[in-house]
Amino acid sequence: MTQPVRWIRNFVDGEFAEPDGPGFPAVDPATGAEFARVHEAGRELVHRAVTGARAALHNGWADTPVRERTALLRRAADRIEARFEEFVAAEVADTGKPVTQARELDVARAVANFRTFADVIAAAGQESFVTDLPGGAQALNYAVRKPLGVVAVIVPWNLPLLLLTWKVAPALGCGNAVVVKPSDQTPSTATLLAEVLAEVGLPAGAYNVVHGFGGDSAGQYLTEHPGIDGVTFTGSSATGTQVMRTVAPRVRPVSFELGGKNAAIVFDDADLDETLAGLTRSVFANTGQVCLCTERVYVQRSVFDDVAAGLVEQARGLRLGDPLTERTTTGPLISPEHRRKVLDYLALAEEAGAKTLTGGGIPELGPELDGGSWLEPTLWTGLTNKDRPVREEIFGPVAALIPFDTEDEAISLANDTEYGLASSVWTQDLRRGHRVAQAMHVGMSWVNTWFLRDLRSPFGGMGLSGIGREGGASSLHFYTEPTNVCVRL
Ligand code: NAD
């Protein structure tokens, strides 16, 4: 007997919609096996989601007192914790990421996102100025912040729940309604979140999920919809450009968290063990599929050989394998198409004369995992900033090691990119650490660490890496619109 099909459905105006087409497959990247069908939302369903969201605002969600909205965020955090392992299993099935990472990073951060934004919103004040007027009179200016309205939330596949809740928590907390478009490759956790938010009492229509692809599918239908008041988007720079074009005629605000080509700078006084541990995470975490991952490692010449040898040893120590096994450190790439893209960069690097210190091939992990999109952690030397693999975002478990001699040279090499997302500096000279970190043309600059986040601090990028910042007060600014009231006293 054949198994009944498991559907991952759209959540529109407080209800799961019945599938009305063939849908598309949800595939486990570790094995290549289909495990569910996803209901692709058509234009009509996206329209219902947007109008349902608008109705939720009018029906009172936008005017709900702040303490009720923040209490709801806290209940959502509690409820994700109560259903923690379900979220972990869903995230692992969609992405193939190691179960320990899904627990410690992805789902844990979703809980933290809801709690942090509850705190931030509860503590937020409002701007006010007393203005002195001629003759001793005064005026009072104060800004009331109102919800932006119906917000389109479009997210990628690499950290699906983490990135989604990073936007949904502040958006809902500020009184908006959201229509969420997860990546077609990772539809599960956004759908589970719909259940959780309904369980904790979010009104129908305030959170909607529409599944599908980008162009000529749910992503485009959503961004083209005239009922959208703003778009918060995380994804590639190319898609960001497209989304901006789509919303330009209606002049909607956008918040863009886009790609990166991030540099690490290792000085000769850095603590070697700590640096190697940090670099290994920064290059290979999530199989290199984090926008913050390091793909360019600039190392001071006197320690270049030691750092290269140490990093190779660490890369070889990574354990690829069944994501559900706790000792696994490294999962597959998200899809065969993405692996193809990364393999193309491997070929380009070879053409450019790179020396592959380790990796470069497809590992053999046994018949169970043969159908997965696996790739060996890879390190190169012999490339320069002129070569495409050093200029373009690859988004895989690969990095180029490049020597430098002076601090100035390191700064100019690191800043020689059209991207501007993140960087890390490794040194025991803290004065130099501050100096170099501040000289980086990026949104996030780390010293002797990487991906250490305080969710109240601003997050985002410069250049091709994005527009605007989210996190803490920056999120509240994006998800609200101020009306300044001026009263002559
Ligand atoms: P992507 O740009 O292909 O897709 C992102 C989302 O946009 C998906 O949901 C996709 O369906 C949707 N989309 C695609 N075309 C669209 C269109 N024309 N209109 C509306 N929506 C559309 O990115 P991806 O491959 O899913 O993710 C990887 C990229 O995301 C990398 O470039 C990575 O650096 C970036 N990223 C950035 C950050 C950050 O915070 N800066 C975080 C994670 C990932």
Side-chain angles (χ1 to χ4, degrees):
M1 215 176 78
T2 52
Q3 290 277 340
V5 176
R6 203 193 117 210
W7 278 99
I8 296 172
R9 292 178 296 163
N10 295 289
F11 188 74
V12 170
D13 204 10
E15 288 177 357
F16 282 104
E18 278 313 309
D20 56 359
F24 59 90
V27 175
D28 178 349
T31 62
E34 175 175 339
F35 63 87
R37 304 287 303 170
V38 189
H39 179 193
E40 185 175 357
R43 211 182 266 282
E44 174 54 30
L45 200 56
V46 172
H47 176 69
R48 270 176 48 204
V50 175
T51 47
R54 176 75 53 205
L57 295 176
H58 287 156
N59 293 341
W61 174 244
D63 302 317
T64 308
V66 170
R67 67 175 179 284
E68 285 180 31
R69 295 202 300 256
T70 52
L72 187 135
L73 297 188
R74 291 184 208 287
R75 292 200 298 279
D78 295 346
R79 199 62 204 134
I80 296 171
E81 270 180 338
R83 299 182 64 176
F84 199 85
E85 287 301 319
E86 270 180 86
F87 276 97
V88 168
E91 204 70 308
V92 172
D94 275 356
T95 60
K97 64 180 65 194
V99 67
T100 43
Q101 186 205 305
R103 284 194 187 112
E104 287 163 18
L105 176 66
D106 298 75
V107 184
R109 177 65 73 75
V111 173
N113 282 338
F114 277 101
R115 293 212 173 112
T116 301
F117 283 108
D119 290 345
V120 169
I121 291 166
Q126 306 209 325
E127 286 163 87
S128 72
F129 300 94
V130 175
T131 315
D132 290 323
L133 303 173
Q138 286 186 316
L140 170 66
N141 283 274
Y142 63 95
V144 278
R145 290 206 160 259
K146 305 167 182 174
L148 180 56
V150 176
V151 182
V153 179
I154 302 180
V155 282
W157 45 260
N158 61 331
L159 301 167
L161 182 69
L162 181 158
L163 293 170
L164 175 70
T165 51
W166 171 245
K167 295 170 181 303
V168 165
L172 292 178
C174 290
N176 300 281
V178 296
V179 182
V180 164
K181 213 299 279 166
S183 166
D184 55 285
Q185 273 147 334
T186 52
S188 299
T189 44
T191 313
L192 259 184
L193 188 64
E195 291 179 21
V196 158
L197 291 171
E199 283 163 6
V200 300
L202 185 72
Y207 177 88
N208 304 269
V209 185
V210 291
H211 291 298
F213 305 87
D216 284 327
S217 184
Q220 188 181 331
Y221 304 153
L222 181 58
T223 48
E224 276 176 0
H225 200 289
I228 290 299
D229 297 305
V231 181
T232 177
F233 170 80
T234 300
S236 64
S237 304
T239 308
T241 310
Q242 185 55 50
V243 170
M244 201 162 181
R245 265 199 210 105
T246 307
V247 301
R250 285 170 288 113
V251 197
R252 293 297 185 263
V254 293
S255 174
F256 282 172
E257 298 182 337
L258 309 178
K261 187 70 188 177
N262 312 303
I265 300 178
V266 183
F267 286 101
D268 59 5
D269 65 346
D271 180 296
L272 188 62
D273 289 341
E274 276 177 26
T275 303
L276 288 175
L279 281 179
T280 305
R281 274 185 66 230
S282 83
V283 174
F284 298 116
N286 209 44
T287 317
Q289 302 168 116
V290 180
C291 54
L292 307 168
C293 272
T294 302
E295 294 189 357
R296 302 180 288 144
V297 185
Y298 299 103
V299 187
Q300 202 151 23
R301 202 174 299 275
S302 53
V303 292
F304 188 84
D305 289 345
D306 290 344
V307 170
L311 205 52
V312 166
E313 192 186 329
Q314 298 267 337
R316 293 192 179 142
L318 294 171
R319 295 184 297 273
L320 282 63
D322 180 358
L324 292 171
T325 305
E326 299 218 343
R327 67 185 295 281
T328 296
T329 58
T330 309
L333 292 167
I334 190 70
S335 65
E337 297 74 35
H338 186 48
R339 182 169 68 177
R340 185 71 262 150
K341 179 190 142 186
V342 179
L343 284 169
D344 286 348
Y345 278 106
L346 265 53
L348 272 178
E350 199 167 299
E351 275 167 37
K355 179 174 170 204
T356 302
L357 299 182
T358 188
I362 294 175
E364 287 183 12
L365 299 170
E368 296 255 304
L369 302 177
D370 263 359
S373 300
W374 298 89
L375 187 73
E376 289 171 346
T378 301
L379 294 167
W380 297 307
T381 54
L383 295 173
T384 71
N385 272 20
K386 292 196 174 61
D387 298 312
R388 278 182 60 198
V390 184
R391 301 211 68 78
E392 298 172 14
E393 182 186 51
I394 301 173
F395 221 55
V398 294
L401 279 73
I402 297 172
F404 71 86
D405 291 301
T406 65
E407 183 180 311
D408 285 348
E409 186 191 1
I411 292 170
S412 70
L413 284 169
N415 281 340
D416 173 22
T417 172
E418 286 188 83
Y419 289 96
L421 192 60
S423 63
S424 63
V425 181
W426 303 85
T427 176
Q428 292 196 62
D429 177 347
L430 269 187
R431 281 193 299 181
R432 174 153 70 186
H434 284 285
R435 192 165 63 226
V436 177
Q438 289 180 30
M440 294 292 101
H441 185 71
V442 295
M444 284 79 57
S445 201
W446 281 288
V447 180
N448 295 329
T449 186
W450 174 78
F451 204 176
L452 182 63
R453 295 274 299 118
D454 183 319
L455 304 180
R456 297 167 299 182
S457 59
F459 183 95
M462 303 177 182
L464 278 187
S465 294
I467 297 180
R469 296 291 183 276
E470 296 195 37
S474 306
S475 295
L476 307 197
H477 280 147
F478 180 71
Y479 293 108
T480 58
E481 288 272 37
T483 296
N484 187 71
V485 179
C486 177
V487 185
R488 195 188 159 94
L489 298 177

